[in-house]
PDB file of all heavy atoms in Angstrom:
ATOM      1  N   LEU A  63      -6.938  13.557   6.616  1.00  0.00           N
ATOM      2  CA  LEU A  63      -6.664  12.342   7.382  1.00  0.00           C
ATOM      3  C   LEU A  63      -7.061  12.529   8.850  1.00  0.00           C
ATOM      4  O   LEU A  63      -7.671  11.647   9.461  1.00  0.00           O
ATOM      5  CB  LEU A  63      -5.179  11.970   7.263  1.00  0.00           C
ATOM      6  CG  LEU A  63      -4.737  10.667   7.940  1.00  0.00           C
ATOM      7  CD1 LEU A  63      -5.566   9.486   7.463  1.00  0.00           C
ATOM      8  CD2 LEU A  63      -3.246  10.412   7.687  1.00  0.00           C
ATOM      9  N   ALA A  73     -15.483   4.710  17.425  1.00  0.00           N
ATOM     10  CA  ALA A  73     -15.914   3.306  17.362  1.00  0.00           C
ATOM     11  C   ALA A  73     -14.801   2.356  17.789  1.00  0.00           C
ATOM     12  O   ALA A  73     -15.018   1.153  17.873  1.00  0.00           O
ATOM     13  CB  ALA A  73     -16.372   2.966  15.944  1.00  0.00           C
ATOM     14  N   SER A  78     -11.395  -4.275  24.643  1.00  0.00           N
ATOM     15  CA  SER A  78     -11.496  -5.612  24.063  1.00  0.00           C
ATOM     16  C   SER A  78     -10.246  -6.448  24.331  1.00  0.00           C
ATOM     17  O   SER A  78      -9.146  -5.928  24.470  1.00  0.00           O
ATOM     18  CB  SER A  78     -11.719  -5.492  22.556  1.00  0.00           C
ATOM     19  OG  SER A  78     -11.684  -6.772  21.963  1.00  0.00           O
ATOM     20  N   LEU A  95      -8.887   6.683   0.220  1.00  0.00           N
ATOM     21  CA  LEU A  95      -8.426   5.961   1.395  1.00  0.00           C
ATOM     22  C   LEU A  95      -9.624   5.738   2.305  1.00  0.00           C
ATOM     23  O   LEU A  95     -10.332   6.679   2.670  1.00  0.00           O
ATOM     24  CB  LEU A  95      -7.338   6.755   2.131  1.00  0.00           C
ATOM     25  CG  LEU A  95      -6.752   6.077   3.384  1.00  0.00           C
ATOM     26  CD1 LEU A  95      -6.076   4.757   3.028  1.00  0.00           C
ATOM     27  CD2 LEU A  95      -5.760   7.006   4.090  1.00  0.00           C
ATOM     28  N   LEU A 134       1.081  16.561  13.232  1.00  0.00           N
ATOM     29  CA  LEU A 134       1.817  16.847  11.986  1.00  0.00           C
ATOM     30  C   LEU A 134       1.428  18.220  11.428  1.00  0.00           C
ATOM     31  O   LEU A 134       0.329  18.715  11.690  1.00  0.00           O
ATOM     32  CB  LEU A 134       1.508  15.778  10.930  1.00  0.00           C
ATOM     33  CG  LEU A 134       2.040  14.355  11.197  1.00  0.00           C
ATOM     34  CD1 LEU A 134       1.521  13.396  10.126  1.00  0.00           C
ATOM     35  CD2 LEU A 134       3.567  14.347  11.234  1.00  0.00           C
ATOM     36  N   THR A 157       9.147  15.360   8.764  1.00  0.00           N
ATOM     37  CA  THR A 157       8.876  14.372   9.815  1.00  0.00           C
ATOM     38  C   THR A 157       8.716  12.978   9.222  1.00  0.00           C
ATOM     39  O   THR A 157       8.049  12.798   8.198  1.00  0.00           O
ATOM     40  CB  THR A 157       7.582  14.741  10.574  1.00  0.00           C
ATOM     41  OG1 THR A 157       7.722  16.036  11.132  1.00  0.00           O
ATOM     42  CG2 THR A 157       7.285  13.741  11.681  1.00  0.00           C
ATOM     43  N   VAL A 183     -33.908   9.833   5.019  1.00  0.00           N
ATOM     44  CA  VAL A 183     -34.337  10.754   6.068  1.00  0.00           C
ATOM     45  C   VAL A 183     -33.461  12.005   5.985  1.00  0.00           C
ATOM     46  O   VAL A 183     -32.238  11.894   5.824  1.00  0.00           O
ATOM     47  CB  VAL A 183     -34.197  10.124   7.486  1.00  0.00           C
ATOM     48  CG1 VAL A 183     -34.732  11.079   8.545  1.00  0.00           C
ATOM     49  CG2 VAL A 183     -34.922   8.798   7.561  1.00  0.00           C
ATOM     50  N   SER A 212     -36.732   2.817  20.485  1.00  0.00           N
ATOM     51  CA  SER A 212     -37.723   2.133  19.659  1.00  0.00           C
ATOM     52  C   SER A 212     -37.985   2.991  18.419  1.00  0.00           C
ATOM     53  O   SER A 212     -38.324   4.171  18.534  1.00  0.00           O
ATOM     54  CB  SER A 212     -39.010   1.949  20.464  1.00  0.00           C
ATOM     55  OG  SER A 212     -40.060   1.543  19.617  1.00  0.00           O
ATOM     56  N   ARG A 233     -40.823  11.283  19.463  1.00  0.00           N
ATOM     57  CA  ARG A 233     -40.615  12.251  18.375  1.00  0.00           C
ATOM     58  C   ARG A 233     -41.009  11.600  17.061  1.00  0.00           C
ATOM     59  O   ARG A 233     -40.516  10.531  16.702  1.00  0.00           O
ATOM     60  CB  ARG A 233     -39.148  12.686  18.351  1.00  0.00           C
ATOM     61  CG  ARG A 233     -38.751  13.592  17.181  1.00  0.00           C
ATOM     62  CD  ARG A 233     -39.412  14.962  17.259  1.00  0.00           C
ATOM     63  NE  ARG A 233     -38.632  15.991  16.573  1.00  0.00           N
ATOM     64  CZ  ARG A 233     -38.696  16.252  15.270  1.00  0.00           C
ATOM     65  NH1 ARG A 233     -39.522  15.561  14.500  1.00  0.00           N
ATOM     66  NH2 ARG A 233     -37.952  17.209  14.758  1.00  0.00           N
ATOM     67  N   ILE A 237     -41.160  11.402   6.507  1.00  0.00           N
ATOM     68  CA  ILE A 237     -40.004  11.041   5.680  1.00  0.00           C
ATOM     69  C   ILE A 237     -40.392  11.134   4.209  1.00  0.00           C
ATOM     70  O   ILE A 237     -41.546  10.905   3.853  1.00  0.00           O
ATOM     71  CB  ILE A 237     -39.456   9.644   6.034  1.00  0.00           C
ATOM     72  CG1 ILE A 237     -40.570   8.574   5.993  1.00  0.00           C
ATOM     73  CG2 ILE A 237     -38.782   9.646   7.400  1.00  0.00           C
ATOM     74  CD1 ILE A 237     -40.070   7.154   6.225  1.00  0.00           C
ATOM     75  N   GLU A 295     -34.984  -7.357  21.191  1.00  0.00           N
ATOM     76  CA  GLU A 295     -35.909  -7.496  22.314  1.00  0.00           C
ATOM     77  C   GLU A 295     -37.250  -6.883  21.908  1.00  0.00           C
ATOM     78  O   GLU A 295     -37.386  -6.332  20.822  1.00  0.00           O
ATOM     79  CB  GLU A 295     -35.366  -6.752  23.543  1.00  0.00           C
ATOM     80  CG  GLU A 295     -33.978  -7.192  23.993  1.00  0.00           C
ATOM     81  CD  GLU A 295     -33.997  -8.355  24.950  1.00  0.00           C
ATOM     82  OE1 GLU A 295     -35.099  -8.684  25.431  1.00  0.00           O
ATOM     83  OE2 GLU A 295     -32.924  -8.927  25.223  1.00  0.00           O
ATOM     84  N   ASN A 307     -55.371  13.680  29.184  1.00  0.00           N
ATOM     85  CA  ASN A 307     -55.843  15.065  29.310  1.00  0.00           C
ATOM     86  C   ASN A 307     -55.080  15.735  30.448  1.00  0.00           C
ATOM     87  O   ASN A 307     -54.221  15.120  31.077  1.00  0.00           O
ATOM     88  CB  ASN A 307     -57.353  15.103  29.577  1.00  0.00           C
ATOM     89  CG  ASN A 307     -57.742  14.116  30.664  1.00  0.00           C
ATOM     90  OD1 ASN A 307     -57.038  13.982  31.665  1.00  0.00           O
ATOM     91  ND2 ASN A 307     -58.866  13.434  30.465  1.00  0.00           N
ATOM     92  N   ALA A 337     -36.768  19.320  42.445  1.00  0.00           N
ATOM     93  CA  ALA A 337     -37.156  20.740  42.478  1.00  0.00           C
ATOM     94  C   ALA A 337     -38.676  20.814  42.400  1.00  0.00           C
ATOM     95  O   ALA A 337     -39.324  19.992  41.748  1.00  0.00           O
ATOM     96  CB  ALA A 337     -36.526  21.502  41.321  1.00  0.00           C
ATOM     97  N   VAL A 339     -42.151  22.792  41.351  1.00  0.00           N
ATOM     98  CA  VAL A 339     -42.697  23.778  40.411  1.00  0.00           C
ATOM     99  C   VAL A 339     -44.083  24.158  40.939  1.00  0.00           C
ATOM    100  O   VAL A 339     -44.979  23.315  41.001  1.00  0.00           O
ATOM    101  CB  VAL A 339     -42.784  23.194  38.983  1.00  0.00           C
ATOM    102  CG1 VAL A 339     -43.359  24.237  38.024  1.00  0.00           C
ATOM    103  CG2 VAL A 339     -41.416  22.719  38.501  1.00  0.00           C
ATOM    104  N   ALA A 355     -38.384  26.012  42.593  1.00  0.00           N
ATOM    105  CA  ALA A 355     -37.694  26.131  43.877  1.00  0.00           C
ATOM    106  C   ALA A 355     -36.929  24.853  44.200  1.00  0.00           C
ATOM    107  O   ALA A 355     -37.396  23.742  43.918  1.00  0.00           O
ATOM    108  CB  ALA A 355     -38.701  26.412  44.991  1.00  0.00           C
ATOM    109  N   ALA A 370     -45.966  33.295  33.384  1.00  0.00           N
ATOM    110  CA  ALA A 370     -46.498  32.173  32.615  1.00  0.00           C
ATOM    111  C   ALA A 370     -47.943  32.428  32.263  1.00  0.00           C
ATOM    112  O   ALA A 370     -48.655  33.148  32.967  1.00  0.00           O
ATOM    113  CB  ALA A 370     -46.370  30.884  33.430  1.00  0.00           C
ATOM    114  N   ASP A 375     -56.075  24.920  36.946  1.00  0.00           N
ATOM    115  CA  ASP A 375     -55.972  25.016  38.410  1.00  0.00           C
ATOM    116  C   ASP A 375     -54.541  25.285  38.874  1.00  0.00           C
ATOM    117  O   ASP A 375     -53.591  24.897  38.198  1.00  0.00           O
ATOM    118  CB  ASP A 375     -56.440  23.696  39.044  1.00  0.00           C
ATOM    119  CG  ASP A 375     -57.849  23.315  38.614  1.00  0.00           C
ATOM    120  OD1 ASP A 375     -58.625  24.236  38.297  1.00  0.00           O
ATOM    121  OD2 ASP A 375     -58.154  22.101  38.592  1.00  0.00           O
ATOM    122  N   GLU A 378     -48.818  22.421  42.727  1.00  0.00           N
ATOM    123  CA  GLU A 378     -47.407  22.328  43.089  1.00  0.00           C
ATOM    124  C   GLU A 378     -46.989  20.886  42.846  1.00  0.00           C
ATOM    125  O   GLU A 378     -47.614  19.953  43.346  1.00  0.00           O
ATOM    126  CB  GLU A 378     -47.174  22.711  44.554  1.00  0.00           C
ATOM    127  CG  GLU A 378     -45.690  22.706  44.889  1.00  0.00           C
ATOM    128  CD  GLU A 378     -45.388  23.286  46.275  1.00  0.00           C
ATOM    129  OE1 GLU A 378     -46.326  23.399  47.091  1.00  0.00           O
ATOM    130  OE2 GLU A 378     -44.221  23.587  46.537  1.00  0.00           O
ATOM    131  N   GLU A 407     -49.304  12.561  39.154  1.00  0.00           N
ATOM    132  CA  GLU A 407     -49.365  12.119  37.756  1.00  0.00           C
ATOM    133  C   GLU A 407     -48.228  12.742  36.950  1.00  0.00           C
ATOM    134  O   GLU A 407     -47.729  13.822  37.295  1.00  0.00           O
ATOM    135  CB  GLU A 407     -50.707  12.526  37.137  1.00  0.00           C
ATOM    136  CG  GLU A 407     -51.929  11.883  37.794  1.00  0.00           C
ATOM    137  CD  GLU A 407     -52.024  10.403  37.493  1.00  0.00           C
ATOM    138  OE1 GLU A 407     -51.639   9.975  36.383  1.00  0.00           O
ATOM    139  OE2 GLU A 407     -52.460   9.655  38.387  1.00  0.00           O
ATOM    140  N   PRO A 413     -43.159  21.474  22.906  1.00  0.00           N
ATOM    141  CA  PRO A 413     -42.827  22.762  22.293  1.00  0.00           C
ATOM    142  C   PRO A 413     -44.115  23.394  21.757  1.00  0.00           C
ATOM    143  O   PRO A 413     -44.920  22.699  21.142  1.00  0.00           O
ATOM    144  CB  PRO A 413     -41.876  22.405  21.144  1.00  0.00           C
ATOM    145  CG  PRO A 413     -41.546  20.952  21.318  1.00  0.00           C
ATOM    146  CD  PRO A 413     -42.646  20.339  22.132  1.00  0.00           C
ATOM    147  N   ILE A 422     -42.428  13.222  28.489  1.00  0.00           N
ATOM    148  CA  ILE A 422     -43.201  12.957  29.709  1.00  0.00           C
ATOM    149  C   ILE A 422     -42.237  12.682  30.857  1.00  0.00           C
ATOM    150  O   ILE A 422     -41.303  11.878  30.710  1.00  0.00           O
ATOM    151  CB  ILE A 422     -44.145  11.760  29.482  1.00  0.00           C
ATOM    152  CG1 ILE A 422     -45.205  12.159  28.441  1.00  0.00           C
ATOM    153  CG2 ILE A 422     -44.817  11.324  30.772  1.00  0.00           C
ATOM    154  CD1 ILE A 422     -45.750  11.045  27.640  1.00  0.00           C
TER     155      ILE A 422
END
Side-chain angles (χ1 to χ4, degrees):
L63 184 55
S78 174
L95 181 62
L134 292 174
T157 302
V183 183
S212 168
R233 174 67 154 85
I237 53 175
E295 303 273 349
N307 47 41
V339 180
D375 304 332
E378 184 171 17
E407 297 289 326
I422 294 152

